[in-house]
Amino acid sequence: MEGPGRADGAGDSPDAARGPRRPGRPPLTERRKEATRLEIAHEAVRLFAARGLAATSWDDVARAVGVSTRTLSRYFARKEECVRPLLTVAVERFVTTLRAWPADRPLHEITGPLWPPADSDPEMGTLRELLRLTRAEPGLRSVWLDLHYEAERVMVPLLAERTGLPAGSPEAQALALVVNGSLRLAVELWVDQPGTDSYADVVHALLRRTVTPALEDGGRGPA
């Protein structure tokens, strides 16, 4: 296992001498950091599920990952935040796709091939367990809700630009609220359906009934 001591950039200077990296791909150091953050998140979820948040210490998380508490603090400020990389999966995927969505393609199609089936994404099983924990652990729930609050603010200008609504207008803010709220609810509904293996099926079903109409209405702009 590669620990965060290497992931934070030490010893990566030879990469700079290898010439420019491929466009659009994060630097090797950043990819290592992200891999380490995900590893920490998985270990934190495992500990929180087994012991509970209160009974799991900062030292416990560091020990499970195989790093010092000082190294762990370079990645997260508190133990609740350790799960954040797993919670950002769906939201970041949507925001990234929205930002790059071609102007000549209908906005409702953005709810198409965004999410892979659960059995093809190794993060989905841990995500489902984590979202169950957010219901019993207020500290984890606050991280989940704070993430969506931040995402909503990012969506407002993107949706305003795409739909022709005035930037920062109440209509654009309401549209972002519908889109973001539907994303959150869709994921939480997926957690409640243990017989459903496909994350995509549950997400798409709700988004096509809520987000698509909202985007189409918003796309017409103010009357």
Side-chain angles (χ1 to χ4, degrees):
M1 178 185 69
E2 180 176 320
R6 295 180 183 176
D8 63 12
D12 284 335
S13 57
D15 294 333
R18 295 174 184 173
R21 64 181 182 273
R22 285 180 287 178
R25 190 177 186 185
L28 181 59
T29 300
E30 290 303 315
R31 297 201 305 275
R32 286 176 175 170
K33 284 182 178 180
E34 185 57 30
T36 300
R37 285 167 58 85
L38 281 172
E39 183 180 3
I40 293 170
H42 278 280
E43 288 298 329
V45 171
R46 182 181 64 80
L47 290 172
F48 296 159
R51 307 177 183 180
L53 181 63
T56 302
S57 69
W58 187 250
D59 287 346
D60 291 334
V61 177
R63 190 178 305 112
V65 181
V67 299
S68 68
T69 55
R70 181 177 180 181
T71 297
L72 183 60
S73 68
R74 296 176 186 171
Y75 291 88
F76 303 102
R78 56 194 180 99
K79 63 183 179 181
E80 292 87 348
E81 289 288 337
C82 290
V83 303
R84 190 178 180 91
L86 284 167
L87 293 176
T88 61
V89 173
V91 175
E92 287 187 349
R93 191 171 292 170
F94 183 87
V95 170
T96 299
T97 305
L98 178 63
R99 184 175 283 116
W101 198 247
D104 59 348
R105 292 191 63 182
L107 281 174
H108 68 269
E109 292 182 2
I110 201 171
T111 60
L114 274 178
W115 293 274
D119 57 5
S120 70
D121 192 327
E123 307 301 331
M124 292 299 101
T126 307
L127 176 61
R128 178 175 254 158
E129 184 173 22
L130 173 55
L131 287 171
R132 290 194 182 109
L133 286 173
T134 64
R135 297 174 179 177
E137 300 283 2
L140 299 180
R141 184 164 60 249
S142 70
V143 175
W144 174 234
L145 296 177
D146 184 60
L147 167 67
H148 277 277
Y149 175 75
E150 293 173 2
E152 188 176 305
R153 298 178 67 181
V154 173
M155 289 181 190
V156 171
L158 294 175
L159 291 169
E161 180 181 358
R162 292 288 176 174
T163 58
L165 291 168
S169 66
E171 292 82 4
Q173 295 178 54
L175 181 57
L177 181 64
V178 171
V179 173
N180 185 54
S182 295
L183 283 171
R184 181 176 62 82
L185 178 59
V187 176
E188 292 176 354
L189 288 174
W190 167 71
V191 172
D192 287 331
Q193 300 185 30
T196 302
D197 292 329
S198 176
Y199 172 54
D201 288 345
V202 179
V203 174
H204 289 170
L206 182 63
L207 294 188
R208 289 187 184 280
R209 292 196 302 267
T210 57
V211 173
T212 296
L215 289 175
E216 290 176 344
D217 290 343
R220 289 196 285 267

